[in-house]
Structure formats: C-alpha cells, structure tokens
Amino acid sequence: MGVTVAQSSTKVGESWKAAFKQFASSFELGVDGIGLFAIDQRFGIDDVRTAAAESITGGGDDKKLDIIYMDVNRGLLVVAQCFESPKVKASAPANKASDLNTAVAWLLSSSLESVPEGLRGRVSEVRDAIDVDLIQDFHLWYVHNAPESRNASAEVSNAEKTAAKLLAKRGGIQIFGAEVGSETLERWYLGSKRTIKVTDKFSLRVSDAIETESARWSAVTTLVSGAWLHRMFADHKEDLFSANVRNYLGSRRSDANINNGIKETAVDEPADFSVYNNGLTALVLDYKLGGRSRNGRRLDITGISVVNGAQTTGSIGSLSDEPSEDLLVPVRFVKSSDEDLLGRIVKFNNLQNKVQAADFRSGDEIQNRLRAEFAQMTGVSYDGGRRGGSSDAIKRSRTALASYTVGQVLTAFHGDPVAAYDKKADIWVDDAMYSRIFSERTTATHILFAYSLYDALTTRLLTLREKTRSADAPLTEAEAKELEFLSLKGAPYLLAEVIARALESILGKTIPNRFGLRFKGNVSLSDAAGLWGTVIDAVLPLSDQLLPAFNRGRVSREGKEAAISAFEGLFQALQNLQPDAFKEFAKKVSIDEIKAG
C-alpha cells in the first residue's frame, strides 16, 4: 500500500474515532486518553504507557491540568484540558476550554508551595525547563470528541493570551492555543496515515530539472516559483502537509523564530533565497517531466504533500503579498508505491522528527541480538532502537517494549533511578552509560524481568488514578497513600532500584549479578507483570521511608541512599516476621550465571 488519496467521509470523525478506540484499548487508557491520542497523532509518542503515567495528572485536585506533556529533546510542552462525551454533541462545553486559563496560572505563576503535591514535581520540571530555555513550543489544547465551536475556540485564545503575558520575557517560546475537536483529530489522523489530500493537477514551467530513480522510487529535483507556493498555500493551507501534519508550526515574531526569518529573506533577498534555504521534499501521486526547450521544461504534477520544508512553504504562503518573481525555491518531488519506503522518507526528511539518540544504536550487534531473542518469546516484542514511520502509531502494541523506556528501566534496576528519569536520551548517547546496561550480559529474558516490574508499577499508578474518578468505589486511605507516592516524578524508577536491591532477601538467595535474573519459562509481558503483585503489595505500604529521596516532587540524588537504607532496614524486619511471604514468587525466578566480560 502506498500513499493514499483522501476519500470523503460519510461522517466527520469516523476514521479518527475508530483509531482512538483501538488506541485507548491497546494501551489500556481511561479518562483523558483522548488528550494522549491527540499528542500522539500530532507529535508521536515513543512509549504511550509511560507518557500516560507521567503526563496524565488524574482526577482530584489537578488544577485543571488534565495533561502536562513535556519532551525537552524536542523543546515541546503540551498542556491539555480534555472532554469526552459518550453521546454526540453539537459542541463541547466552552467552560471546559476556559479552564485552560486556570491551568496556565497554576502552571506558570502560582507559588510552588501552593501547588498540590501530586502536581508539584511536574510543575517544577516545566518551570526549570523554561528557565534554562529548553522549551521552544508551548501548546495549549482543549481536546474533545465533539465538533469545534467559536465559543470554545475563543476561550482557548484567551488562555493563549494569558500564557503569552506570563511568558512575555521568554521571547524564544512560541505559544499555540488550539481547540482540538473532531475536525482537527480527523485531519491529524489522516495525516498520520500519510494521506495525500491535495489531489489537484499542476502544470509548471521550470528552467531545468534533474530526474533520478531506483527500483522503488523516482524523483525530480528543480527550482519552483515562490509565487506558485504562495498560491498553493492560499488554496490548500494545512492540507498541503497531510502526509506529515507534524510539520508547520506557524509564524511568530521572535528573534529565535526560524519562520519569521524565512519570511524576511523571501521578501528582502529573493534572488539569493535558493542558496540560503534547503528547500522542500514533497510526495506526489505522479509527475511527468517534459523535454528541454528555449522556455525551459514543462513539469506536470498530480497530487502533492510536503514532508520536509513545511516551515518554508507555510512562511512563504503566509506572506501578505505574492512574492517577487525572483524568488525560487529548491524542491524535490518524489513518487513511490512502497509503503515502507514512504514511511522512511517522511521520517528522515522531517526536521521536526530529527534522528533520535536510540537510532544510532539500533544497528549494533547487541541490539540485533536482543531483537532476535525477543522474536523467540511470546507476548512481548522489542524495537531495539528501530522506529517505524508515522503510520505505525495505531499499529503499536501494548506488549511492544519501547527502546528508550527499556534503557531507563535497566538503568534504574541496576542502581541509578535519577539518571533513568532525567537522562533517557543520554543513556543511548553516552558510551559509558550505554555499555553499563547493554552488553553481552544483557539478555531479552532479563529485560523482560526488569521491564515487567516497571510495567506493574505504572499499571498500579494508572489504575489508582482512574479509581479517583469513581464515585462508587473511592480510594481507601491506603490506596490514596500509594497514589500520592507513585505520582511523584521518578517514583516507579526509584522503586525499581529499591526492589532490585531487596531481591536477595525476597528470593532467599545470593545474587552474584542482577543481569542473571529472569523468570522461568517463556512468559508474556502481561504474565510477568502479574507475578510482581505480591512484591509490590509488600513494598508500597513502606513508601514513606523513601520520601527523603525526592526534592520538589522529583526523585533526586540528595537523600536517596539514606532513604533506601531506612527502607531496607524496615523491609528486612518485616521479612523476618513473614519468611514465607514471597515463597511462590521465588519459585518463578531463575538466577543465571553471568560470566565476566
């Protein structure tokens, strides 16, 4: 299947609703899952379950901050208010959109001491990231499953203005308010499927062109008129980016804003634009290049979607006047019917989705071996640093282990939960950090052992969070205490180290090397996570002992060792009172001999 042509839908929102239902079911998401779906469609999420655990704030006193999603590697912050109704409504309630004003105030301007403890860690992270200029794009969304309306959109616009005032001294941050209803979700979803929505035929006259081809693709490279791009953008707007909706971010006046710079160059130096700018890569359904003549060459194109250079296209297209005839833009038009190839074209040509740290390790012999080992296992898989194209968002499985999270879990399990939480990209870039957890000692069965513990902890967090919304079965006092602790940023990683250190006591055996730990037999991720229940039930009531390991709601190095030592002492005392408490769990665990080297 290649790039597809958009088909008219019998009912707006049908496609995205089916996809969202599958997405929410696959990753076991509850309330506010629609917000995570929107983020995934717009920007892509490596690990949906981890994002849910860290970004969805849950019910109770969340100060209208339903979702706080941050990716400092991409300079991205998304704050969302979510609404989902089981019945079709004419529009979503505008008062929910107005809650974004409250959310912005709590996130950016309230004293940290007044922020509820469950939110404090994430709020402090966001403020720290802003203070050191790690955030470039701040999105404020009202996400819902109804048609969009002027009233709700106006409220979002008010919240955008509030955020702009509070961040007035941060000129490098672009703020984007948006009502994300059925229409927008449908457009983003179709974009994630690489649909070419603009199917018009265009006839251009170019000075010359170079055509190249292989067995899987053909392409023509040339210079096109900036005036033609300007007219196309006026006619089709964001539909021009339908094969990659993650591109054009808009133009704001800021010294740090590349789009404003593109506009200035197009107007002030049009004759030199083509040597300043990298140009565009666009997917087309078909093209035909004519022969050379005194008037240049004729180029006929059918269908178009810009997959790289959307900032250039949008900037030129949004100029107030049609640009000078001197403005020429480099363009490469590509056609192919190979779905896998098209996904890779989108991926590697998209500057917004730059090559990530894990990509550099995906081909090494350790990751190749681990992928092969996982291929022999049941109910679990591993990408080993390899990522698919944007259409893979719906194809992902709950049982697929994301490489970044695997690196974080192994780092925590083997003694460094702070690095696991704060340095997920560094784990793959830094040779010392990478080789410490990925070596000949690392096996797929050990990864499953450690990861299933993390999975069980995040599942406990998400389950408790959903329960806060239930009037029929409210949280018990003990459950509320567990939720409060698990909501602290980095808590699952800290517990992974704590439990790893307690395993000798739990198993009643000496563990020469933790890399030798695995479950017996060929167990699935779901079954492996279930085996940790007894251990987690015993550990969480003692979580108060670990609170000194947190600073401003986030796991930190200060006080960590003392906190873990206090926990270990109390845990061992309780273990002595119940020596057989983990007998059944111990029967399921094997400790393989690990050779040096």
Side-chain angles (χ1 to χ4, degrees), residues 212-260:
T212 52
E213 60 182 13
S214 76
R216 302 171 68 191
W217 56 268
S218 63
V220 59
T221 304
T222 187
L223 293 170
V224 301
S225 162
W228 177 67
L229 287 178
H230 186 272
R231 291 192 296 270
M232 274 218 307
F233 188 80
D235 291 340
H236 301 289
K237 301 297 184 185
E238 283 195 356
D239 284 351
L240 282 177
F241 318 124
S242 61
N244 191 9
V245 297
R246 297 168 185 172
N247 258 347
Y248 185 56
L249 300 177
S251 298
R252 300 297 174 99
R253 288 198 173 274
S254 165
D255 291 339
N257 190 313
I258 187 171
N259 298 332
N260 196 51

Side-chain angles (χ1 to χ4, degrees), residues 371-419:
R371 281 192 294 268
E373 289 179 11
F374 270 102
Q376 303 302 312
M377 298 169 68
T378 302
V380 64
S381 62
Y382 173 60
D383 62 20
R386 288 181 178 171
R387 297 175 297 144
S390 56
S391 66
D392 287 343
I394 305 303
K395 299 176 185 177
R396 289 184 310 237
S397 166
R398 166 80 170 82
T399 60
L401 311 190
S403 53
Y404 275 114
T405 310
V406 167
Q408 290 174 281
V409 168
L410 289 177
T411 298
F413 192 86
H414 291 278
D416 197 346
V418 179

Side-chain angles (χ1 to χ4, degrees), residues 52-237:
E54 295 184 353
S55 305
I56 297 177
T57 60
D61 194 15
D62 63 10
K63 302 304 179 186
K64 312 303 181 183
L65 291 158
D66 290 349
I67 290 179
I68 308 173
Y69 177 84
M70 185 168 65
D71 185 342
V72 295
N73 293 320
R74 289 192 284 181
L76 176 66
L77 172 65
V78 181
V79 171
Q81 176 71 202
C82 305
F83 172 78
E84 185 183 358
S85 173
K87 297 181 180 180
V88 177
K89 292 180 176 289
S91 63
N95 66 301
K96 290 282 289 181
S98 67
D99 286 342
L100 279 172
N101 253 318
T102 302
V104 167
W106 276 100
L107 181 68
L108 301 177
S109 63
S110 60
S111 67
L112 197 59
E113 292 72 24
S114 67
V115 175
E117 192 167 357
L119 288 174
R120 198 171 300 160
R122 200 55 165 172
V123 169
S124 69
E125 277 186 317
V126 168
R127 293 181 184 181
D128 288 349
I130 290 173
D131 286 344
V132 294
D133 298 323
L134 291 178
I135 300 300
Q136 284 83 49
D137 300 317
F138 179 11
H139 294 260
L140 280 167
W141 290 353
Y142 178 31
V143 186
H144 58 76
N145 63 338
E148 293 160 10
S149 69
R150 289 185 178 181
N151 290 340
S153 182
E155 292 293 351
V156 174
S157 181
N158 289 335
E160 181 182 9
K161 292 173 183 176
T162 299
K165 290 178 181 178
L166 293 174
L167 294 172
K169 296 181 180 180
R170 299 288 178 182
I173 298 179
Q174 299 184 103
I175 303 167
F176 306 98
E179 181 188 7
V180 183
S182 285
E183 297 92 332
T184 299
L185 288 170
E186 181 77 350
R187 187 173 72 251
W188 289 356
Y189 171 69
L190 290 176
S192 75
K193 301 298 288 182
R194 289 194 291 278
T195 300
I196 289 182
K197 295 181 71 175
V198 177
T199 58
D200 299 12
K201 292 184 178 181
F202 304 93
S203 183
L204 308 175
R205 182 64 63 175
V206 298
S207 59
D208 205 349
I210 299 174
E211 188 172 15
T212 52
E213 60 182 13
S214 76
R216 302 171 68 191
W217 56 268
S218 63
V220 59
T221 304
T222 187
L223 293 170
V224 301
S225 162
W228 177 67
L229 287 178
H230 186 272
R231 291 192 296 270
M232 274 218 307
F233 188 80
D235 291 340
H236 301 289
K237 301 297 184 185

Side-chain angles (χ1 to χ4, degrees), residues 283-301:
L283 299 180
V284 297
L285 296 173
D286 197 11
Y287 71 78
K288 183 178 180 180
L289 180 63
R292 291 181 174 86
S293 70
R294 291 183 178 180
N295 297 322
R297 307 181 72 173
R298 175 169 171 163
L299 176 61
D300 295 323
I301 299 167

